[in-house]
Amino acid sequence: MIDFLEDEYTEVFEDNMYVIGKKLNDITVQDSMLLNLGDEEYVGVCLDPEDTIETEVTYSSEDDTVASVDENGKVTAKKVGQTRIIVRVGEITKEVITVVVSKATGLTVDGKIELNVTDSYSLKAVVTPSSSTDKVTYESEDETIATVDEKGKIVAKKVGKTKINVTIGDIEKTVIVTVLPEEIVTEVITPEEIVSDVITAEISNEVAEVLSSSIETNEEVYEKVKEEILKGNSITTVIDIAIVEDEKQLEEVTKQIEEQLVNEKVVISNLLDINVLVKSNGENIGKLTELTNEIEFTIKIPNDLKKA
């Protein structure tokens, strides 16, 4: 017959008792396992005492669809979720809480964003894989310029430039946020206001609005304007008018007049060199070659110049 004597496992033959091993007192396993989707990991089992004769370990999973376990204790994470791995040795049973997650391996965000003061924008963070259970976090390096909430919504506060740091797991990306005034408004200056010239132009408020909006459609000028605004400089547009100095062009216009091939309006425009200049603190930073809409303005030419 087989019997236990204190902590020893014994076998008795007739009147003689022979000790052949020790009884199992307890087993120790980890409390929990955290696995990434697709990972494999072994359950660690410690027997007490180590030299017990009861060494047969069996494993089972409460939910094989989340994590399965084989006869050697190897756990395979199959889908995001939670289950328990049951470990049994003799009459002793322990459980290992097993959580399966999907860690992020990639993160894509907007590289650069331009906003006007008071504007808002929701960052688009694309996480790979899409099943990732990691949480995306957002942080602004300067909240006086732009803030960002836990969902990635950016609010522009004041003119300037800052960075939004987007993090998931061990991955971090940076978004450059440039905040411009609510509207790029430039003061339109006519020649009569900046120089004592013989030719002057009268400009309406509607023309001023077209010139300001035209800056935003001219990429090269727009970039320069942004840089100057961020420096705190004031932007002005100037309609620069001068008499054409190209003798060949003047001869051509004169010939057309003599042959009556063009009307007076076209003749005058051909005689004038008209440019729309963009300035920062009085210094030229660009020229508008295309306007968002047609503009009309009146040019005053003195009588003596008309005669000439």
Side-chain angles (χ1 to χ4, degrees), residues 33 97 122 174 218 257:
M33 299 177 72
I97 303 299
S122 293
T174 300
N218 188 312
I257 294 173

XYZ file of all heavy atoms in Angstrom, residues 33 97 122 174 218 257:
45
model
N 0.870 37.240 -16.698
C 1.693 37.313 -17.898
C 1.106 38.394 -18.795
O -0.106 38.451 -18.987
C 1.712 35.990 -18.660
C 2.279 34.820 -17.894
S 2.167 33.276 -18.851
C 3.408 33.558 -20.101
N -2.889 34.809 -14.411
C -3.702 35.751 -15.191
C -2.896 36.149 -16.426
O -1.773 36.643 -16.330
C -4.038 37.010 -14.376
C -4.758 36.624 -13.079
C -4.879 37.972 -15.203
C -6.062 35.919 -13.295
N -7.627 68.811 -35.551
C -7.498 67.498 -34.906
C -6.423 66.681 -35.615
O -6.537 66.392 -36.809
C -8.834 66.735 -34.952
O -9.800 67.387 -34.154
N 7.089 64.114 -33.911
C 6.953 65.539 -33.629
C 6.214 66.242 -34.768
O 6.503 66.000 -35.937
C 8.329 66.199 -33.440
O 9.004 65.578 -32.332
C 8.190 67.682 -33.156
N 0.396 82.941 -53.341
C 1.745 82.960 -53.896
C 2.680 82.281 -52.902
O 3.070 82.864 -51.899
C 2.185 84.409 -54.151
C 3.500 84.490 -54.910
O 4.462 83.814 -54.568
N 3.540 85.333 -55.923
N -0.203 103.926 -81.534
C -1.049 105.120 -81.392
C -1.249 105.789 -82.748
O -2.361 106.166 -83.122
C -0.409 106.111 -80.396
C -0.402 105.505 -78.989
C -1.162 107.441 -80.395
C 0.357 106.323 -77.988
